[in-house]
Amino acid sequence: VIWLMSFPNSGTSYTIHTVREVTNTTTATNYGLEGDIKDEESVPAFENGVNGPFLELIPERYTTLPKLILTKTHCGGFSTSLNPNSYIETPRSFLKSCLKGKRGVYSSDSKSFVTHSVSYGQDVVKKIVSIVSRRFRYYFVTIFHHRFINSSQIPLSV
């Protein structure tokens, strides 16, 4: 596994989609039931890997499965709260959050999908790629969105 890690909404989905299209290789995600695989049961990237990561298999599309698979993950340390206790992470808690995900499975009535929280071992991760964006700009836009978008308290500048 090669982690493609970033804060949510900072370009991870776009980047992984672009890599998949340009290289014609299969990619993976820690989060079942999202993007192009939102209507499909989660397929483990590895044999007996029911806890993830999960292949992003595009219907009616053949891609090669690389030895090291680029995998989308979002680690801890982000929050829309101004309370530091909600986003300060220890190295251990940060790693644990990187290894967490969601597996999509059919419900017991087989009419819909449900997700199960999962976590896999760090031994499968061999490399890390991090998307670095304008962190402070992202932070302020996120706070602006969550705190002011549905209120009359729109600040004059962010």
Side-chain angles (χ1 to χ4, degrees):
V1 168
I2 302 171
W3 273 342
L4 179 62
M5 55 194 294
S6 71
F7 285 92
N9 299 317
S10 62
T12 319
S13 295
Y14 176 79
T15 302
I16 207 160
H17 176 80
T18 302
V19 168
R20 185 173 58 243
E21 292 299 312
V22 170
T23 64
N24 201 41
T25 57
T26 304
T27 56
T29 180
N30 283 357
Y31 315 103
L33 302 182
E34 72 166 9
D36 294 325
I37 58 170
K38 67 178 177 281
D39 299 321
E40 303 290 331
E41 192 167 31
S42 296
V43 177
F46 304 104
E47 189 176 327
N48 300 320
V50 295
N51 290 330
F54 306 104
L55 296 176
E56 291 188 300
L57 298 171
I58 311 305
E60 300 178 21
R61 174 91 187 273
Y62 176 78
T63 56
T64 59
L65 186 61
K67 184 176 179 180
L68 291 175
I69 190 163
L70 190 62
T71 302
K72 175 182 176 177
T73 186
H74 298 303
C75 301
F78 59 90
S79 174
T80 58
S81 170
L82 295 178
N83 180 355
N85 292 331
S86 67
Y87 56 83
I88 292 177
E89 297 273 352
T90 65
R92 183 171 184 263
S93 67
F94 183 80
L95 175 62
K96 285 179 71 173
S97 67
C98 296
L99 296 164
K100 288 182 182 178
K102 299 276 186 184
R103 177 170 52 104
V105 296
Y106 285 109
S107 64
S108 57
D109 63 7
S110 297
K111 294 181 180 179
S112 62
F113 287 102
V114 295
T115 59
H116 296 284
S117 294
V118 294
S119 181
Y120 55 90
Q122 71 186 54
D123 56 313
V124 300
V125 180
K126 305 301 180 201
K127 296 185 180 195
I128 298 172
V129 176
S130 180
I131 296 177
V132 179
S133 60
R134 296 180 186 173
R135 304 274 301 261
F136 289 114
R137 179 177 179 203
Y138 172 78
Y139 174 77
F140 288 118
V141 168
T142 302
I143 294 298
F144 174 81
H145 176 75
H146 288 283
R147 297 197 88 196
F148 301 108
I149 205 71
N150 294 319
S151 77
S152 61
Q153 300 176 354
I154 307 280
L156 295 176
S157 63
V158 177

